[in-house]
Amino acid sequence: KQEVTQIPAALSVPEGENLVLNCSFTDSAIYNLQWFRQDPGKGLTSLLLIQSSQREQTSGRLNASLDKSSGRSTLYIAASQPGDSATYLCAVLLTGGGNKLTFGTGTQLKVEL
Amino acid sequence: DTAVSQTPKYLVTQMGNDKSIKCEQNLGHDTMYWYKQDSKKFLKIMFSYNNKELIINETVPNRFSPKSPDKAHLNLHINSLELGDSAVYFCASSLWTSGDYYNEQFFGPGTRLTVL
């Protein structure tokens, strides 16, 4: 059974700092890995998707990496801003899993002025 | 120009009632999903439909019955609501991959269900 863990569970940083969020998964037979952002009381916004054959994806100040063999992904946020404050979720899509996303436990990020 | 929309946004009801949540997507996707986010914010798949056909039923009680009248809609009907059904329910959609390469899922804004 696939288990997805995110560390840390919560993180508070001063504005301008670069930071890394971690995601680990137990079953490496994944199709892809998706990073989402969830603001309080809101839905999920897809940030980045990495296919199993890719090593990283970039979008603006965000960079996500994937090491499938070790079951790890990181989300790097450069020059953090207060507007980045949200919960970040990673989710993996298993091969043969019927397109079912298995979500991590989330990292609640607060970027302070 | 909302991609995935859900109604209602909030739903407060008494135990034992029957309620429905509607979901619509205008992305041209052929696969739709229902996820449940519990009080600890953990998200878990409930159902998925591909071309109106049930693909995943993740051991959800049969009080929950999804209905897909067409590819753009997936509604969730819940009978005999219980306190433990209180949660946020998210609808999502994507293209089916089945050997294809790309399968990004897009989520709706969620429906917060409170059972009293």
Side-chain angles (χ1 to χ4, degrees):
Chain A
K1 181 189 170 188
Q2 177 73 275
E3 289 185 7
V4 184
T5 307
Q6 291 184 246
I7 295 172
L11 181 63
S12 183
V13 300
E15 183 180 11
E17 206 166 278
N18 302 326
L19 57 101
V20 174
L21 307 181
N22 297 292
C23 171
S24 60
F25 46 95
T26 54
D27 186 343
S28 61
I30 65 168
Y31 229 164
N32 60 44
L33 184 144
Q34 210 168 336
W35 280 95
F36 294 89
R37 168 189 173 135
Q38 185 174 24
D39 292 281
K42 305 278 185 178
L44 278 70
T45 301
S46 179
L47 298 172
L48 289 164
L49 181 146
I50 312 179
Q51 297 294 345
S52 61
S53 58
Q54 296 174 326
R55 298 284 293 184
E56 64 179 315
Q57 282 284 349
T58 299
S59 175
R61 293 182 295 109
L62 305 179
N63 176 278
S65 68
L66 175 64
D67 184 343
K68 206 173 82 156
S69 59
S70 67
R72 291 181 186 173
S73 176
T74 60
L75 179 67
Y76 174 82
I77 303 176
S80 58
Q81 303 170 356
D84 295 331
S85 299
T87 296
Y88 290 80
L89 296 159
C90 69
V92 297
L93 191 74
L94 290 177
T95 56
N99 285 9
K100 171 175 77 172
L101 276 176
T102 301
F103 278 86
T105 44
T107 294
Q108 191 170 0
L109 172 66
K110 185 173 182 183
V111 180
E112 297 172 319
L113 288 167
Chain B
D1 60 347
T2 305
V4 183
S5 59
Q6 297 178 228
T7 54
K9 190 169 172 59
Y10 300 97
L11 189 50
V12 181
T13 188
Q14 299 285 334
M15 263 175 48
N17 284 351
D18 303 339
K19 289 294 176 186
S20 291
I21 307 172
K22 294 186 176 181
C23 178
E24 176 181 3
Q25 54 92 7
N26 62 6
L27 296 167
H29 289 159
D30 56 4
T31 307
M32 295 184 73
Y33 314 80
W34 279 108
Y35 288 85
K36 178 180 179 181
Q37 187 171 44
D38 61 24
S39 56
K40 294 182 180 176
K41 307 294 185 189
F42 188 65
L43 263 159
K44 193 174 177 191
I45 183 91
M46 298 174 69
F47 300 102
S48 88
Y49 269 73
N50 172 248
N51 279 322
K52 303 191 296 174
E53 200 174 313
L54 180 66
I55 302 299
I56 296 172
N57 180 342
E58 197 72 359
T59 60
V60 178
N62 57 16
R63 296 183 296 104
F64 290 78
S65 52
K67 292 233 175 0
S68 182
D70 55 57
K71 285 194 301 185
H73 296 84
L74 180 63
N75 303 323
L76 184 64
H77 188 76
I78 315 170
N79 289 329
S80 304
L81 278 155
E82 300 177 357
L83 293 176
D85 297 331
S86 296
V88 182
Y89 293 84
F90 287 99
C91 177
S93 74
S94 75
L95 286 172
W96 181 255
T97 55
S98 185
D100 202 352
Y101 201 47
Y102 206 76
N103 180 41
E104 188 173 7
Q105 291 190 23
F106 295 85
F107 281 70
T111 296
R112 183 175 293 276
L113 171 64
T114 303
V115 182
L116 302 173

